[in-house]
Every structure is written in structure tokens, then in C-alpha cells.
Amino acid sequence: MPDVLIADDHPLFRDALQRAVMTALPDAQVHSAEDVPNLLELIERYPEAELLLLDLHMPGARGYSALAHIRGQYPGLPTIVVSGHEEAQVARRALAHGASAYIPKSTSGDDIITAIRSVLDGDVWLPHRLMGGSEPTLKPDEADVAARIASLTPQQFRVLTMIAEGLLNKQIAYDLGVSEATVKAHMTAIMRKLGVNNRTQVALAAGQLAVDQASMPVLPDDASS
């Protein structure tokens, strides 16, 4: 039976996506996650999954960062982005980051089923109102950051998202169940892969993949702890 992954923190919409998946692919086994850390565990558990439906704003996603990371680490996993955003620019950035489809959360159930079937057939899908224009591309700086984030290991990516949320090393260590020394080792590797020199620059780099960069949190004053 094909495995399909759904990552969305809203139970009602997650259920709607599951119903659409079961209509489009009746023999599918659907596995759900409410945040990015749990999603990464699901992907590791089901490496041959047929499809991922990914909420753009679920906890740990940080805009397009989760999409960029997953597409880099698991290029064979077709990914449909779902989001409350209705803007064509947001949808086209998702496609440029490797999504196979973009589904606004206002999309009808029938259209969600059509999108799923299209992606499973190897096609790219957008709502009619968001179609048109030139081939979606990224600005060079954003493409470079996306490629660097794609090179992170899943655990390094977890640490990155926590840094971007303003957590201190001791908080990250507690949440991940590791030592602060391990977190610092991850920090060193993350800075090397991102080509930056300190914690603030790590957060700023992650912020380049935010949908709304003005929404980035303020880092704590003691940013090195």
C-alpha cells in the first residue's frame, strides 16, 4: 500500500486533506504530523512515501525552509504545499523551491483531489486563478540559502529552526534531549554549511526563506547562550 504523509497543525484541515487523499488514492496509508520535527521522523520511517502534503506555516516550518530542506534531502518525494496564502507570488515561490503543487486552504475538495491526482501523475498543479506568468524562479540570494539549508542533516535543521525561533542553546538541548555540547557542535556545522560566523547570522539566513520576512522574531540579548 502506498504511504502518503500529511503535515498540518490544524486538525480540521488535516482531516480534509486525508479525505481527499483517500478519494484520489483509495488504498493509501495516510500518516500525519503536527509539526516539522514529527514530520522528519515520519519521512525517515517511510522513506518510500508516494506523496507529502506540507503546510507552509506549521510549527518548525519557518516559511519555505522546511520545503527547501525536504526537497534537498528527499528529492524523490513529491511535495504539495498547502497554505492560507492566496497570493500568486507565494505560490510561485513554493514551486521555485521544488513543490509540485500549491493548494490554498480555500480550495474546494474536488480541486484538492484533482491536484493530488495531477502530482501523482507527475504533473505540476496550481489553481486556475494563480496560473500564468513566467517560469517561477528565485532570487540568487534566496536560492543560495535554500541550497545551503537543503544540505543540513535533519537534526541540524531542527536546531536551525529553533535558533530562528529565538531559543537558547540550553532550551534547544532540553527540547532535543541532548547535551549543550552537542547543540554547540551542531551550531558549528550549521554555521559552516550556511557560510556565516555567528548565531544572529544563522537566524538572518533562515529568515530569507520566510514568507513575510518582517515577521522574524527578535533574538534574545544573550544570543550566544
Side-chain angles (χ1 to χ4, degrees), residues 12-214:
L12 291 178
F13 197 74
R14 193 166 60 242
D15 290 345
L17 291 176
Q18 180 166 346
R19 289 194 299 271
V21 167
M22 297 308 298
T23 300
L25 200 62
D27 59 343
Q29 291 287 325
V30 179
H31 313 279
S32 299
E34 298 180 358
D35 55 35
V36 169
N38 285 327
L39 169 60
L40 295 177
E41 292 176 4
L42 273 185
I43 297 175
E44 292 170 359
R45 197 179 310 158
Y46 303 102
E48 303 300 322
E50 294 283 327
L51 181 67
L52 165 64
L53 292 97
L54 174 66
D55 182 2
L56 196 60
H57 286 298
M58 68 184 304
R62 300 301 309 162
Y64 299 96
S65 62
L67 173 61
H69 175 70
I70 290 167
R71 291 299 300 149
Q73 292 290 309
Y74 309 97
L77 176 60
T79 301
I80 295 175
V81 167
V82 297
S83 172
H85 285 278
E86 304 279 343
E87 301 90 344
Q89 180 184 6
V90 175
R92 296 176 70 78
R93 279 178 74 192
L95 295 188
H97 278 293
S100 296
Y102 183 89
I103 299 177
K105 290 195 173 182
S106 61
T107 302
S108 70
D110 287 344
D111 279 349
I112 294 175
I113 293 168
T114 298
I116 292 170
R117 287 173 172 162
S118 296
V119 171
L120 291 173
D121 287 339
D123 297 327
V124 173
W125 188 91
L126 280 177
H128 288 294
R129 66 184 183 278
L130 300 183
M131 290 181 177
S134 58
E135 188 74 16
T137 58
L138 299 174
K139 295 179 180 178
D141 288 350
E142 184 174 353
D144 178 63
V145 169
R148 292 175 182 272
I149 287 177
S151 73
L152 299 177
T153 67
Q155 189 75 326
Q156 289 167 358
F157 181 73
R158 292 182 182 100
V159 173
L160 171 69
T161 61
M162 293 177 173
I163 293 169
E165 290 168 0
L167 298 185
L168 302 175
N169 283 1
K170 58 186 177 183
Q171 294 171 307
I172 296 172
Y174 178 81
D175 288 348
L176 293 180
V178 299
S179 68
E180 287 191 53
T182 298
V183 173
K184 290 179 180 178
H186 284 314
M187 276 289 302
T188 299
I190 291 167
M191 288 189 290
R192 183 181 70 251
K193 290 183 177 181
L194 295 185
V196 299
N197 299 315
N198 58 54
R199 186 189 196 91
T200 299
Q201 290 175 348
V202 169
L204 291 174
Q208 292 189 48
L209 300 191
V211 175
D212 177 10
Q213 296 182 1

